[in-house]
Amino acid sequence: MDKEAHHGCWMPARQVPSPNCDARPANEVSLLLIHAISLPPGQFGGSAIEALFTNQLNPDEHPFFAEVAHLRVSAHFLIRRDGQCIQFVDAGQRAWHAGRSRWWDPGRRAWRTALNDFSVGIELEGDDKTPFAKAQYRALVDATQWLMARYPQLTSSRITSHAKVAPLRKTDPGPAFDWAYFYQRLVGQSS
């Protein structure tokens, strides 16, 4: 395996390549966006999320799937309820996860759009109401620390939610995500 070509592959993750990605225009990774997803909404388990991110979701399997099967979206990582991590896109590549969004970059003192250009997207299997599993937080902390070590511009102050960058469209990961617990574990493991 060519190490340079796969420099953004996290070895603990199961690799499931998504076609919904392309090259980053400036080779910058400096923002982590945390998302939540369940397919169908409110249901966990199954292969629907993987199918969505690999353009294989069957619109006839569930009424909601007919609404989203045409989308060409991906994330870098998906963390299942049991903590299993699946990587769809090399972190050095641009995944298609942020959509129309904008973020205040304190380093540049400016609003930035086209967030996919410089962000990593991590989806947690979940919804706005169901507390996330401890195993998910453990995997999220591990993945975040790996990303922060690999991309020095990515710091704990450059982690946010999909809801914060697209507040009129998105709510994820929602009020069920415990930011204080996540940061406590992130800081605790890095010291």
Side-chain angles (χ1 to χ4, degrees), residues 42-64:
Q43 295 182 27
F44 308 133
S47 61
I49 299 169
E50 285 185 48
L52 175 66
F53 290 164
T54 56
N55 302 337
Q56 298 175 19
L57 187 64
N58 182 343
D60 299 325
E61 286 184 7
H62 188 278
F64 184 75

Side-chain angles (χ1 to χ4, degrees), residues 16 30-31 90 117 125 136 147 154 158-159 178:
V16 177
S30 63
L31 178 65
D90 183 294
D117 290 356
E125 185 176 29
Q136 289 180 289
L147 288 163
L154 180 59
R158 298 177 73 88
I159 300 171
D178 188 338

Side-chain angles (χ1 to χ4, degrees), residues 8-85:
C9 287
W10 188 42
M11 298 324 274
R14 181 167 57 90
Q15 303 297 312
V16 177
S18 171
N20 304 327
C21 64
D22 55 7
R24 291 188 187 276
N27 203 28
E28 174 190 356
V29 176
S30 63
L31 178 65
L32 174 58
L33 286 180
I34 298 177
H35 305 261
I37 187 171
S38 59
L39 285 179
Q43 295 182 27
F44 308 133
S47 61
I49 299 169
E50 285 185 48
L52 175 66
F53 290 164
T54 56
N55 302 337
Q56 298 175 19
L57 187 64
N58 182 343
D60 299 325
E61 286 184 7
H62 188 278
F64 184 75
F65 294 175
E67 296 177 34
V68 298
H70 69 284
L71 298 175
R72 296 298 172 249
V73 295
S74 61
H76 291 89
F77 301 97
L78 167 66
I79 300 175
R80 295 277 193 185
R81 303 294 297 176
D82 64 1
Q84 177 196 34
C85 188

